[in-house]
């Protein structure tokens, strides 16, 4: 039985490599068929917002890469409700199908997974 | 207990020093350190070109000595390392670079090494420092 991993992505998409390197952990875990879930928290929620123009920053399209997650078998995707609210975002602003979770549910997620990584 | 350490803090980060002290304490307490995985800014710890002022502790050198002394499995993420200019001789040849700088005792490899270690560990401890 594989160990379940919750990956918490907390970095904004364009402030450096952190968001991209968190995603790389998720995608590589998916490639090995490992049970991985992903939670976007804090500034990380900006990664999910649609209609970004990364070409203006001469960056790869991170949101497009995020949409590859289900293809890699990573379908348990969550976003923190309070992080969205703090930034004036709603579910309608997001380009990926994710479950909105409150603080209690986040605590449950951390409890349910055997390992937790926060990047 | 089987431990795996993930380190993603820069050499200068206090987290890098704390990670080493934690690793030392693990072994002293009779635990096993299955693998240390260096990711993100932590790949610079594995560079042999870091130079510290004489009156400052050289944490990168301390890490290397610790790894060599205990024959630890120290893996540096290859993708994170290459884009930050940390390369071994093989990669230097492959990309026709003029030099390599990966210190002895470390190995460049992929994220699969992190996943494999996490799957086998009783405890995964992450030292991340400030992004």
């Amino acid at each position: 039985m594989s160990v379940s991993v919750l990956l918490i992505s907390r970095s904004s998409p364009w402030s450096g490599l952190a968001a991209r390197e968190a995603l790389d952990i998720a995608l590589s875990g998916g490639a090995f068929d490992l049970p991985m879930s992903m939670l976007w928290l804090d500034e990380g929620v900006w990664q999910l917002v649609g209609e970004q123009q990364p070409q203006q920053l001469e960056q790869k399209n991170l949101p497009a890469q995020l949409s590859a997650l289900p293809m890699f078998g990573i379908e348990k995707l969550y976003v923190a409700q309070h992080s969205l609210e703090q930034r004036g975002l709603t579910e309608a602003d997001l380009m990926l199908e994710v479950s909105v979770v409150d603080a209690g549910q986040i605590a449950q997620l951390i409890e349910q997974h055997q390992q937790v990584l926060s990047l | 207990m089987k431990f795996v350490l993930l380190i993603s803090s820069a050499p200068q980060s206090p987290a890098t020093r704390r990670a080493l002290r934690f690793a030392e304490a693990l072994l002293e307490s009779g635990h096993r350190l299955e693998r240390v995985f260096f990711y993100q800014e932590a790949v610079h710890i594995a560079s042999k070109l870091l130079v510290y002022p004489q009156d400052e502790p050289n944490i990168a050198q301390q890490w290397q000595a610790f790894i060599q002394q205990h024959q630890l499995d120290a893996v540096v993420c290859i993708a994170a390392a290459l884009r930050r200019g940390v390369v071994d001789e093989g990669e230097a040849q492959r990309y026709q670079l003029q030099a390599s700088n990966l210190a002895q005792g470390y190995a460049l490899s992929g994220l699969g090494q992190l996943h494999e270690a996490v799957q086998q560990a009783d405890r995964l401890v992450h030292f991340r420092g400030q992004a």
Side-chain angles (χ1 to χ4, degrees), chain A residues 46-66:
Chain A
W46 290 113
Q47 297 172 31
L48 299 167
V49 173
E51 314 239 356
Q52 305 197 42
Q53 297 176 309
Q55 66 278 10
Q56 302 222 6
L57 299 170
E58 298 171 55
Q59 296 290 313
K60 278 195 196 163
N61 194 338
L62 185 78
Q65 290 172 322
L66 289 175

Side-chain angles (χ1 to χ4, degrees), chain A residues 21-97:
Chain A
E21 290 184 326
L23 177 63
D24 284 345
I25 290 184
L27 293 176
S28 58
F32 288 107
D33 281 330
L34 297 175
M36 303 217 32
S37 312
M38 211 164 159
L39 165 68
W40 286 271
L41 188 70
D42 300 338
E43 294 295 300
V45 301
W46 290 113
Q47 297 172 31
L48 299 167
V49 173
E51 314 239 356
Q52 305 197 42
Q53 297 176 309
Q55 66 278 10
Q56 302 222 6
L57 299 170
E58 298 171 55
Q59 296 290 313
K60 278 195 196 163
N61 194 338
L62 185 78
Q65 290 172 322
L66 289 175
S67 54
L69 282 167
M71 281 184 277
F72 279 76
I74 301 162
E75 286 157 346
K76 291 180 180 166
L77 307 174
Y78 307 93
V79 62
Q81 186 177 26
H82 67 271
S83 299
L84 289 177
E85 283 169 2
Q86 284 165 353
R87 290 162 182 81
L89 296 169
T90 68
E91 218 176 333
D93 297 309
L94 310 181
M95 40 62 73
L96 198 63
E97 210 159 302

Side-chain angles (χ1 to χ4, degrees), chain B residues 66-93:
Chain B
F66 178 72
I67 286 164
Q68 291 194 308
Q69 182 191 344
H70 297 283
Q71 303 269 304
L72 295 176
D73 184 9
V75 178
V76 180
C77 173
I78 188 165
L82 288 179
R83 54 165 77 107
R84 290 175 176 84
V86 177
V87 293
D88 62 9
E89 282 176 23
E91 296 306 308
Q93 277 179 13

Side-chain angles (χ1 to χ4, degrees), chain B residues 48-125:
Chain B
K48 61 183 175 193
L49 297 182
L50 293 174
V51 179
Y52 286 71
Q54 279 185 357
D55 57 350
E56 289 177 20
N58 185 334
I59 197 71
Q61 202 176 64
Q62 289 179 26
W63 256 114
Q64 190 199 12
F66 178 72
I67 286 164
Q68 291 194 308
Q69 182 191 344
H70 297 283
Q71 303 269 304
L72 295 176
D73 184 9
V75 178
V76 180
C77 173
I78 188 165
L82 288 179
R83 54 165 77 107
R84 290 175 176 84
V86 177
V87 293
D88 62 9
E89 282 176 23
E91 296 306 308
Q93 277 179 13
R94 184 201 309 272
Y95 294 100
Q96 299 184 325
L97 307 174
Q98 291 178 8
S100 64
N101 60 343
L102 188 74
Q104 263 190 4
Y106 295 92
L108 292 183
S109 194
L111 280 169
Q113 298 287 313
L114 172 63
H115 287 295
E116 185 200 58
V118 168
Q119 289 295 314
Q120 292 167 8
D122 296 313
R123 290 280 186 279
L124 162 70
V125 185

